[in-house]
């Protein structure tokens, strides 16, 4: 299990020996820095612990459907194992035009961070299987822990330590933290290349297979 919020704060302060009573690093600020670092780390790779699946039940004549809570990005959609093709909203408009023809959807687009648009317009009730990546929820209580795999606790701590150093204007500490982060990222990318079976980490440039 990953470290909780209180542990992350204490361990990050300890990296460069910062004082827990430093007014520039008060409890509220530390919580904000931890959550900022957590969100930054969560976007570096398609982490398997952030992957989830669900379903969308269509309604005839309705094209837009709300994304799940904490949704970050859709990986795939499928109806009866037939994957829908991703399209940009511009392509959706070009393909569909002003037609009101209804049939089984074969492609989709995302509308901001609020909904998924299906095309063509559904003509019936379909169960659309949905594979997607979640966002890390913000930590607030001291005992709150992220979804992060515990093997990457130290990586998160270094992200937080860098943000502390940036707030304090400690250039040497910033550079040292960045070197540690770069080393972590390199090791993670190397692990991706060596790993061929699920569970695995998917890089943002790897679109060749579904998780």
């Amino acid at each position: 299990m990953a470290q909780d919020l209180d542990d992350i704060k204490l361990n990050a302060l300890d990296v460069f020996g910062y004082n827990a009573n430093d007014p520039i690093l008060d409890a509220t600020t530390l919580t904000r820095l931890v959550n900022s670092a957590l969100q930054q780390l969560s976007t570096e790779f398609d982490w398997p612990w952030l992957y989830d699946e669900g379903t969308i039940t269509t309604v005839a004549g309705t094209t837009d459907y709300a994304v799940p809570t904490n949704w970050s990005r859709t990986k795939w959609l499928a109806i009866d194992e037939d994957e829908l093709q991703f399209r940009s909203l511009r392509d959706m408009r070009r393909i569909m035009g002003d037609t009101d023809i209804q049939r089984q959807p074969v492609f989709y687009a995302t509308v901001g961070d609020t909904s998924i648009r299906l095309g063509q317009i559904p003509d019936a009730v379909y169960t659309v299987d949905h594979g997607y990546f979640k966002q890390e929820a913000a930590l607030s209580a001291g005992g709150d822990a992220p979804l992060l795999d515990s093997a990457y606790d130290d990586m998160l701590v270094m992200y937080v330590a860098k943000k502390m150093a940036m707030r304090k204007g400690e250039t040497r500490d910033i550079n040292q933290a960045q070197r540690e982060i770069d080393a972590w990222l390199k090791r993670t990318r190397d692990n991706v290349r060596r790993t061929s079976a699920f569970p695995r980490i998917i890089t943002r440039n790897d679109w060749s297979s579904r998780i």
Side-chain angles (χ1 to χ4, degrees), residues 74-110:
T74 292
K75 179 66 175 176
W76 57 269
L77 291 173
I79 298 176
D80 295 331
E81 299 298 323
D82 293 326
E83 289 199 29
L84 280 62
Q85 298 180 12
F86 175 77
R87 301 285 187 178
S88 68
L89 284 172
R90 181 180 181 182
D91 282 347
M92 288 271 284
R93 288 191 292 269
R94 179 177 58 80
I95 294 169
M96 295 176 65
D98 296 327
T99 181
D100 57 359
I101 296 175
Q102 299 184 13
R103 61 184 62 169
Q104 178 175 320
V106 294
F107 47 86
Y108 73 97
T110 53

Side-chain angles (χ1 to χ4, degrees), residues 5-204:
L5 177 59
D6 282 345
D7 288 337
I8 296 168
K9 290 179 181 179
L10 290 174
N11 290 332
L13 285 165
D14 192 51
V15 170
F16 297 120
Y18 294 158
N19 192 327
N21 296 317
D22 188 337
I24 202 172
L25 296 174
D26 61 90
T28 300
T29 298
L30 290 182
T31 297
R32 178 174 57 80
L33 295 180
V34 169
N35 282 312
S36 175
L38 183 60
Q39 293 306 320
Q40 182 180 352
L41 177 56
S42 71
T43 63
E44 296 285 8
F45 297 92
D46 286 340
W47 303 104
W49 53 84
L50 294 179
Y51 177 76
D52 205 352
E53 294 183 358
T55 58
I56 298 170
T57 301
T58 67
V59 176
T62 300
T63 58
D64 288 16
Y65 299 86
V67 297
T69 302
N70 288 337
W71 173 91
S72 174
R73 183 177 62 81
T74 292
K75 179 66 175 176
W76 57 269
L77 291 173
I79 298 176
D80 295 331
E81 299 298 323
D82 293 326
E83 289 199 29
L84 280 62
Q85 298 180 12
F86 175 77
R87 301 285 187 178
S88 68
L89 284 172
R90 181 180 181 182
D91 282 347
M92 288 271 284
R93 288 191 292 269
R94 179 177 58 80
I95 294 169
M96 295 176 65
D98 296 327
T99 181
D100 57 359
I101 296 175
Q102 299 184 13
R103 61 184 62 169
Q104 178 175 320
V106 294
F107 47 86
Y108 73 97
T110 53
V111 183
D113 60 356
T114 60
S115 61
I116 291 171
R117 180 166 297 168
L118 302 178
Q120 299 284 356
I121 303 169
D123 62 342
V125 175
Y126 295 97
T127 297
V128 184
D129 296 314
H130 185 195
Y132 63 96
F133 289 95
K134 300 180 291 186
Q135 301 174 12
E136 284 275 11
L139 310 180
S140 55
D144 289 350
L147 298 172
L148 177 77
D149 189 293
S150 59
Y152 295 88
D153 281 350
D154 290 344
M155 190 177 185
L156 174 59
V157 165
M158 195 57 62
Y159 272 77
V160 179
K162 179 187 174 184
K163 290 182 179 294
M164 290 179 178
M166 292 172 65
R167 182 165 177 80
K168 290 173 67 66
E170 298 287 350
T171 302
R172 185 178 65 176
D173 293 347
I174 294 170
N175 292 336
Q176 182 178 339
Q178 187 61 56
R179 287 192 294 270
E180 293 290 333
I181 290 170
D182 289 343
W184 265 103
L185 292 174
K186 182 179 184 302
R187 288 194 295 271
T188 303
R189 293 188 185 100
D190 289 343
N191 287 338
V192 171
R193 285 190 287 269
R194 289 195 297 264
T195 304
S196 59
F198 187 82
R200 65 190 182 102
I201 298 165
I202 310 298
T203 63
R204 286 300 175 102

